[in-house]
Amino acid sequence: MLNRIKNILIATALCACLTQPALAAFDSTISYININDKVYEDVELMVGDGAIILVPFKQLANLFEIQYTANRVDKVINFTTFDGQNGTITETGVYIDNHNLQKRRPIFLRQGIMDNVMNEAYITAETAEKIFGVKLTTDYSTLTVNAKIDRTVSILKTSQNQIADDKGPKAYPNVVMPKKAGKITLNRIGIHNNMINDNLSTTGLNYRSHNDTVYGNTSVKITGDLFSGKYRIENNLYHYENNSFMYGGLSAAYMNSYTTKKTGEKYWYELGRVTGVRDVDAQLGTNIFGVQVWNYDYQKKSADKLSGYVKPTSLVRVTVNDNEPVTLNTYAGYYTLKDMILPKNVQTVKVEEVNEDGTVEVVKQERYQLYGNRPFAEEQRGSAFAGVWGYQNRLFRDGSNIYRGNNKKVTAGVDYQYGIKDNVTFESKLTGDKIYEKNNSKVFYTIPTNDTLLVTGTQKNVNYLEGATSLNSIEYINKKDPNFKARGTFGGSIAHDIRDEATKPGYIVKGSTEYTKNLDKYSWKC
């Protein structure tokens, strides 16, 4: 039974990490557009089976002077047609006055072959004609586009006047950037070793004893990128006098996110050794191998760590807390907020790409809580986890280690958070476990009140218990002085002890207040 569950977990993790989406029926290629047989401009087209060519909206909009704004986060482009009608491009269609112009869904390309093609939307040539007011013909045999336009546009003029402000922010397109990382990378290897020498001598009447013991541990941690996610692998070696290199076990995790096609909702997940749920009352799912899913970014980057890429010729405009926007330099399209002076309390950040022609696209929008990692007012968020308990975060461990005395359990739980106000949060956790493999060893693993059950008090032997627990809390943070916190906790559990086959209820009711103060400014020297 143990080997079967172990094989299922390993197979699931490998499939989730190594399986890639099937290639779409379309692929991009670089070609050109012929405008009135006078101007030839490079464009990146989308070519599909069945002699289908889709044309790029933003590239053509820049050529034919069609105004648009783009929200890169939500994949929405708002535009005004050549004759003044308002339209929208989304993942579901191209709309003018709520009328869908094409049956085929637009294709959004995050990064093209050409450096200046980023987050492009591809539409049919027939739809493009209605938006741009031009006559477009595509030739599948030569993979080219021909355009006929009656009105005057700047691209057809023989000269263009461009004014550059040498003292203002600039885009430096010719900076040589490092080669883009592959789908699998090795980013960091960390090695940690500790050795302990215990030397004990005892002298008494007519006797003397000496005990000299050497033991230690060596851990190797490897992190990197795997496809669009990140991975972490940890190995341990234990060092004893009778066994210098005893294998301490393998621990691994894979972290990524995905977006649903129908609703556009984004989820984050972990496979392997999961993070679990932690707060001042409990730690849930912190000692399991399995899967955990969040409907919010549980590893959200702070504002000063935001970075990314735009087109090499574009600038980046950053607006913090609705203050005056700040325009940043870009280097081969790369930007970072690391060197930007940010206010003490950052609530909102909007990053916009300012294209060479002056059009603006929303690249990124972030909100930050003033009161730490908690939901905003009226926001609902949460996570769920499931896996196996009893291996203490290590697989394939050698020796007669303490974890081999553990019973093995299937455990699962959910964590729900609701923002009553920005500074008042309700949280409800529900978890349960079931023993699926019993170990007759008398060696057991004892931990404080966490992971599951309330019934056995502050110290418990969870090795023999199975059941379910509900734990709820309300936490308040003072707006005027966030150093002051108040928290109320209440919950209940049902626990079954396999030693005496007894089932017992348990409960917890607790209230606490906390006040912290940084005394650095009151320090003095003697």
Side-chain angles (χ1 to χ4, degrees):
M1 181 66 179
L2 173 61
N3 290 331
R4 184 187 307 170
I5 293 179
K6 185 187 299 182
N7 293 336
I8 291 174
L9 284 173
I10 295 174
T12 303
L14 288 174
C15 290
C17 295
L18 301 179
T19 302
Q20 300 187 61
L23 292 175
F26 285 87
D27 201 0
S28 62
T29 185
I30 298 176
S31 184
Y32 67 88
I33 181 172
N34 173 5
I35 305 176
N36 287 1
D37 294 325
K38 293 181 179 180
V39 176
Y40 296 83
E41 287 287 326
D42 291 337
V43 292
E44 187 166 340
L45 305 175
M46 192 69 72
V47 182
D49 298 334
I52 299 174
I53 293 180
L54 300 182
V55 297
F57 169 81
K58 292 198 291 186
Q59 296 172 68
L60 298 189
N62 294 334
L63 294 175
F64 299 127
E65 300 178 354
I66 296 298
Q67 296 296 317
Y68 67 89
T69 59
N71 189 323
R72 191 175 302 178
V73 178
D74 299 325
K75 293 185 179 179
V76 175
I77 299 176
N78 296 307
F79 62 87
T80 303
T81 65
F82 75 101
D83 55 356
Q85 299 183 75
N86 294 325
T88 303
I89 300 177
T90 69
E91 290 184 291
T92 60
V94 182
Y95 302 92
I96 294 180
D97 294 333
N98 296 323
H99 174 66
N100 195 351
L101 300 183
Q102 61 181 49
K103 294 181 179 180
R104 182 184 301 277
R105 291 189 174 188
I107 297 178
F108 282 83
L109 181 63
R110 182 177 181 181
Q111 175 65 64
I113 303 173
M114 298 170 62
D115 289 338
N116 63 340
V117 176
M118 299 182 68
N119 300 283
E120 179 63 273
Y122 285 87
I123 59 179
T124 64
E126 294 78 8
T127 300
E129 288 180 335
K130 299 175 183 178
I131 297 173
F132 303 130
V134 299
K135 178 63 178 177
L136 290 176
T137 57
T138 59
D139 189 337
Y140 189 80
S141 61
T142 59
L143 298 180
T144 57
V145 180
N146 293 286
K148 298 293 183 181
I149 183 171
D150 295 331
R151 67 181 189 276
T152 301
V153 291
S154 299
I155 195 67
L156 296 176
K157 297 179 181 179
T158 57
S159 63
Q160 296 181 348
N161 295 323
Q162 297 180 346
I163 301 176
D165 183 2
D166 292 336
K167 297 182 180 180
K170 294 181 180 180
Y172 297 90
N174 297 321
V175 177
V176 177
M177 297 296 289
K179 184 179 179 182
K180 290 185 177 180
K183 293 184 177 180
I184 302 177
T185 65
L186 177 60
N187 297 346
R188 179 178 297 179
I189 299 178
I191 301 177
H192 177 77
N193 173 264
N194 67 80
M195 298 295 294
I196 301 175
N197 185 358
D198 278 347
N199 193 317
L200 177 64
S201 296
T202 304
T203 302
L205 184 64
N206 299 325
Y207 77 91
R208 181 179 181 181
S209 66
H210 179 78
N211 185 17
D212 190 1
T213 304
V214 178
Y215 58 95
N217 171 269
T218 298
S219 62
V220 179
K221 183 177 180 180
I222 301 173
T223 60
D225 298 329
L226 182 60
F227 303 129
S228 59
K230 296 183 180 298
Y231 70 88
R232 180 183 67 249
I233 300 174
E234 298 177 38
N235 278 281
N236 273 281
L237 286 175
Y238 293 105
H239 312 296
Y240 300 103
E241 288 185 351
N242 60 345
N243 191 342
S244 299
F245 298 97
M246 186 178 74
Y247 187 55
L250 169 71
S251 177
Y254 178 69
M255 296 142 283
N256 207 335
S257 63
Y258 69 94
T259 304
T260 59
K261 293 183 178 180
K262 290 185 178 180
T263 62
E265 296 180 6
K266 191 172 184 179
Y267 295 89
W268 289 258
Y269 65 88
E270 288 183 353
L271 301 173
R273 179 182 175 180
V274 299
T275 299
V277 179
R278 304 168 185 263
D279 61 20
V280 297
D281 292 320
Q283 299 178 23
L284 308 178
T286 57
N287 288 313
I288 70 170
F289 278 106
V291 58
Q292 186 169 1
V293 181
W294 294 260
N295 69 344
Y296 64 95
D297 189 355
Y298 68 104
Q299 293 180 327
K300 190 174 185 177
K301 292 182 178 179
S302 59
D304 62 311
K305 294 182 180 179
L306 294 179
S307 63
Y309 287 89
V310 295
K311 292 187 284 292
T313 56
S314 297
L315 298 174
V316 165
R317 188 168 65 193
V318 181
T319 305
V320 180
N321 295 350
D322 296 326
N323 294 329
E324 187 72 20
V326 176
T327 303
L328 304 180
N329 294 329
T330 60
Y331 303 89
Y334 176 77
Y335 71 89
T336 177
L337 276 62
K338 180 180 66 174
D339 299 323
M340 184 176 172
I341 299 176
L342 298 171
K344 180 180 179 181
N345 295 321
V346 177
Q347 293 179 271
T348 61
V349 175
K350 181 168 70 171
V351 180
E352 298 173 298
E353 177 181 358
V354 182
N355 296 308
E356 195 174 14
D357 60 358
T359 57
V360 177
E361 302 177 49
V362 178
V363 176
K364 188 174 297 183
Q365 288 180 302
E366 297 288 355
R367 295 175 64 200
Y368 293 94
Q369 249 280 22
L370 292 177
Y371 307 102
N373 183 18
R374 61 187 62 247
F376 294 95
E378 300 183 358
E379 178 190 3
Q380 301 182 67
R381 71 181 197 181
S383 67
F385 62 86
V388 294
W389 181 94
Y391 301 94
Q392 308 319 123
N393 300 327
R394 293 288 183 269
L395 291 176
F396 316 118
R397 200 167 175 178
D398 290 335
S400 56
N401 300 286
I402 194 170
Y403 92 110
R404 293 185 180 276
N406 288 342
N407 294 318
K408 305 303 184 293
K409 304 180 184 183
V410 175
T411 181
V414 294
D415 174 43
Y416 170 79
Q417 301 175 25
Y418 176 73
I420 300 174
K421 294 182 178 180
D422 280 351
N423 64 322
V424 182
T425 303
F426 169 75
E427 185 171 11
S428 180
K429 297 180 281 287
L430 178 63
T431 182
D433 55 20
K434 178 68 176 178
I435 296 175
Y436 68 86
E437 181 178 310
K438 299 179 182 179
N439 192 313
N440 294 325
S441 171
K442 294 182 180 180
V443 179
F444 59 83
Y445 179 71
T446 303
I447 57 176
T449 302
N450 59 22
D451 263 348
T452 47
L453 307 166
L454 306 172
V455 66
T456 54
T458 56
Q459 290 289 332
K460 63 175 189 237
N461 180 4
V462 298
N463 194 39
Y464 299 105
L465 298 178
E466 58 186 9
T469 293
S470 173
L471 199 59
N472 310 280
S473 64
I474 297 178
E475 186 171 76
Y476 162 81
I477 298 180
N478 188 286
K479 286 186 175 182
K480 294 182 179 180
D481 187 356
N483 292 315
F484 177 77
K485 301 178 182 179
R487 183 181 181 91
T489 303
F490 57 96
S493 70
I494 293 293
H496 176 71
D497 194 323
I498 63 173
R499 291 170 296 186
D500 55 10
E501 297 298 330
T503 300
K504 301 177 182 179
Y507 70 92
I508 182 173
V509 177
K510 183 177 72 172
S512 63
T513 58
E514 175 186 336
Y515 184 79
T516 58
K517 189 69 175 179
N518 188 347
L519 300 179
D520 288 346
K521 64 180 181 180
Y522 301 106
S523 61
W524 62 89
K525 296 182 179 180
C526 298

